Amino acid sequence: IIFQTEEDYIPYPSVHEVLGRCSPFPLILLPQFGGYWIEGTNHEPKDPPETEQPPCSTSHVKLETNSLAKIYRKQFMGKEHFNYYTMDAALGHLVFSMKYDVIGDQEHLRLMLRYTCYFCTQLVCEEVNVDRFYPVLYPKASRLIVTFDEHVISNNFKFGVIYQKFGQTTEEELFGNMDESPAFVEFLEFLGHKIELHDFKGFRGGLDVTHGQTGTESVYTNFHNKEIMFHVSTKLPYTEGDSQQLQRKRHIGNDIVAIVFQEENTPFVPDMIQSNFLHAYVVVQVENACTSNVIYKVSVTARDDVPFFGPALPDPAIFKKGPEFHEFLFTKLINAEYACYKAEKFAKLEERTRSALLETLYEELHINSQSMMGLGGDEDKLENGGGGGGGGFFESFKVLSRSHMSLCCLFISALHDDDYTHLSFGWDSGYSHTRKQIFYLFIYILYLKTAVLVLIFSTNILCHQFHQSTMSCSY
């Protein structure tokens, strides 16, 4: 991996000075004051050509995933486990999941503790300082928890595509391009399908699909079940008299990762485009366009606080047009966006979002668990019974059981007295006496079943209270 920082370049000449020299020029120049790193600076073919290695191996092209966000769905959801919640004075809201596993002949305890900042899957988390965790008694808790865990997972991506012609070194020049050369059209076809925006049903990436305010067409594709919409600079609306082309910059400037397509050899400098969101660029320069031997040179640059992301560029960073480069390029783009989320700006934003969502999860688990026990306030919205009178699920079950038992007792009393005159069911006087006895026998069996059910339920409540007192987690 050729991985260089601004220390390797400062001081260095401006882009105008570089263009005044003999070519070839680098694909990317770092800004005068640094702040970015570059990957892929060697684009000289190996000599002799037959010693070249394949540009990339499929086994080394791997999409980054947030594995922690999927643990609960894979290991807990739909299986017997326990969920708890509590409040830590320093860490804030905590939600804890625990499950017993038997792997081979050994018993294991699988734990998952949700912080404001991250997940903890260790047996001992020294940062936690609470007296106890409270059990979650809400039947739909797993849905709420998995929704929280997976809020960081997205199957939709949007990337900018900027067309840079020879000698263009400013933002106004880049966003001012209106025509598309055959080489650029070929590259766009390589990226995806040209689609009509009007009434488009897939992921639209913020583009207008109703009124045509963001152009009439765009480039869209599906890569490994991930929908990708490209914001192509030349396809976004061009506004006469607007040197900044804000209609175009409004979309591309709000992307996180962008492709810069170079038809000829002109260096791209990351600070050419003023944006608070764009953190990474994949620069692609074409050779032998529209032939059977199309070659793409690639360099990558990103802000200093963006960690390196794979797959690594080969040395030299040259690719032949084909499915291997397609796989490599799209994997690089998606991994670049995931890496950018770790930059300071996006990390702080994600921390605030996660904190708010975790607080909401805590409150929903607490309110609904209290409602199940009949302890919620009148203002709580109870999903498990209680209505206007309150009482929750347990109290509602006891009321229902008492009403069933009272009805059964009424029938049993009539059966023993052999007197049915005070029971009116709309039967006529000719109704079979034997059939009535059979009916009462059925009611008697129902009474016995209800009594057994109440006994079992009461026992479960006592066991749960005992479990609550013995299984409270202490740190």
Side-chain angles (χ1 to χ4, degrees):
I1 300 173
I2 300 176
F3 189 70
Q4 301 181 0
T5 61
E6 66 267 24
E7 286 78 8
D8 301 305
Y9 284 83
I10 297 176
Y12 68 93
S14 69
V15 64
H16 299 288
E17 293 178 278
V18 171
L19 288 173
R21 299 178 181 178
C22 296
S23 60
F25 309 122
L27 275 65
I28 299 174
L29 288 179
L30 287 171
Q32 182 179 357
F33 300 103
Y36 286 80
W37 53 260
I38 295 178
E39 180 199 12
T41 58
N42 179 23
H43 301 98
E44 293 296 326
K46 291 183 178 179
D47 192 25
E50 52 267 20
T51 62
E52 291 186 21
Q53 298 297 320
C56 61
S57 172
T58 305
S59 61
H60 294 94
V61 177
K62 181 180 179 182
L63 277 171
E64 297 292 337
T65 58
N66 191 329
S67 57
L68 286 176
K70 299 180 180 180
I71 289 180
Y72 186 80
R73 179 181 294 276
K74 290 182 177 180
Q75 303 294 340
F76 291 83
M77 196 171 183
K79 303 174 184 177
E80 184 179 0
H81 67 283
F82 302 96
N83 294 310
Y84 300 88
Y85 63 95
T86 192
M87 173 73 76
D88 186 280
L91 298 177
H93 303 90
L94 304 177
V95 176
F96 175 53
S97 300
M98 179 180 67
K99 182 171 78 78
Y100 289 100
D101 268 342
V102 178
I103 303 176
D105 297 331
Q106 293 184 336
E107 294 184 353
H108 297 264
L109 193 62
R110 194 181 295 275
L111 309 174
M112 192 172 185
L113 182 63
R114 296 160 186 84
Y115 286 59
T116 297
C117 301
Y118 57 91
F119 296 98
C120 178
T121 55
Q122 304 177 46
L123 183 59
V124 178
C125 296
E126 297 180 355
E127 300 90 345
V128 179
N129 183 22
V130 296
D131 294 330
R132 63 180 298 179
F133 281 83
Y134 300 94
V136 176
L137 305 178
Y138 182 44
K140 299 180 181 179
S142 290
R143 299 183 189 177
L144 299 177
I145 293 173
V146 78
T147 299
F148 168 80
D149 285 355
E150 296 181 357
H151 80 273
V152 296
I153 300 176
S154 175
N155 289 320
N156 300 326
F157 295 86
K158 56 187 183 73
F159 301 116
V161 181
I162 303 168
Y163 181 28
Q164 182 185 19
K165 295 182 179 180
F166 178 77
Q168 292 185 335
T169 59
T170 66
E171 177 181 290
E172 290 76 15
E173 291 173 329
L174 296 178
F175 287 129
N177 291 323
M178 297 179 61
D179 58 316
E180 299 175 351
S181 68
F184 188 46
V185 172
E186 179 186 37
F187 180 69
L188 293 179
E189 292 174 350
F190 175 75
L191 290 180
H193 306 287
K194 184 170 69 173
I195 53 99
E196 295 293 329
L197 286 176
H198 185 68
D199 289 337
F200 180 67
K201 303 304 181 184
F203 173 64
R204 60 189 183 91
L207 299 179
D208 181 15
V209 297
T210 304
H211 305 291
Q213 295 182 356
T214 57
T216 60
E217 60 185 29
S218 189
V219 177
Y220 166 89
T221 193
N222 191 299
F223 178 73
H224 293 316
N225 296 321
K226 300 180 187 298
E227 292 186 83
I228 299 175
M229 178 65 79
F230 291 97
H231 294 155
V232 184
S233 61
T234 54
K235 295 187 181 298
L236 292 168
Y238 178 86
T239 306
E240 291 286 349
D242 182 6
S243 61
Q244 293 184 311
Q245 294 300 319
L246 295 179
Q247 277 280 69
R248 294 177 168 183
K249 185 177 178 181
R250 181 166 66 92
H251 291 282
I252 297 178
N254 284 321
D255 292 330
I256 298 174
V257 181
I259 299 173
V260 179
F261 179 80
Q262 300 175 341
E263 190 169 354
E264 297 183 62
N265 194 206
T266 299
F268 173 77
V269 185
D271 64 358
M272 283 181 182
I273 300 175
Q274 301 300 315
S275 170
N276 291 322
F277 287 91
L278 280 170
H279 274 56
Y281 298 91
V282 178
V283 181
V284 179
Q285 189 175 110
V286 65
E287 285 190 0
N288 307 323
C290 302
T291 69
S292 59
N293 187 34
V294 181
I295 299 295
Y296 291 115
K297 300 177 180 179
V298 181
S299 284
V300 175
T301 184
R303 302 194 187 194
D304 279 342
D305 57 351
V306 176
F308 175 78
F309 47 89
L313 287 171
D315 184 21
I318 301 175
F319 298 85
K320 289 184 177 182
K321 179 184 175 182
E324 287 186 347
F325 177 52
H326 186 275
E327 185 82 11
F328 182 95
L329 179 61
F330 277 78
T331 304
K332 193 74 168 176
L333 290 170
I334 293 173
N335 290 351
E337 181 157 320
Y338 281 134
C340 289
Y341 289 144
K342 300 176 184 178
E344 182 179 2
K345 178 182 179 66
F346 297 112
K348 288 182 177 179
L349 181 62
E350 165 58 20
E351 184 176 338
R352 290 196 297 269
T353 302
R354 180 180 174 84
S355 178
L357 292 176
L358 185 59
E359 181 179 358
T360 301
L361 175 63
Y362 173 94
E363 291 175 351
E364 290 185 344
L365 295 178
H366 174 71
I367 290 173
N368 286 292
S369 294
Q370 293 293 298
S371 300
M372 284 289 294
M373 295 297 293
L375 302 177
D378 293 338
E379 70 279 2
D380 294 339
K381 295 180 179 179
L382 309 182
E383 297 185 17
N384 300 290
F393 173 77
F394 290 161
E395 189 63 32
S396 299
F397 182 83
K398 288 189 290 183
V399 172
L400 181 62
S401 299
R402 284 197 296 266
S403 64
H404 281 189
M405 291 182 67
S406 298
L407 180 61
C408 290
C409 287
L410 178 63
F411 283 115
I412 298 304
S413 175
L415 181 63
H416 283 292
D417 294 341
D418 198 24
D419 180 13
Y420 318 120
T421 58
H422 62 287
L423 297 175
S424 176
F425 299 97
W427 292 336
D428 57 40
S429 58
Y431 197 87
S432 170
H433 178 80
T434 302
R435 291 184 180 181
K436 290 182 181 180
Q437 286 184 321
I438 293 175
F439 175 77
Y440 293 134
L441 180 61
F442 170 76
I443 295 299
Y444 184 71
I445 295 174
L446 177 62
Y447 164 76
L448 292 178
K449 291 177 66 176
T450 303
V452 172
L453 180 61
V454 171
L455 178 62
I456 294 174
F457 192 81
S458 301
T459 305
N460 286 341
I461 294 176
L462 293 175
C463 291
H464 176 78
Q465 291 175 343
F466 175 76
H467 173 79
Q468 178 179 347
S469 61
T470 56
M471 292 296 292
S472 295
C473 299
S474 179
Y475 285 85

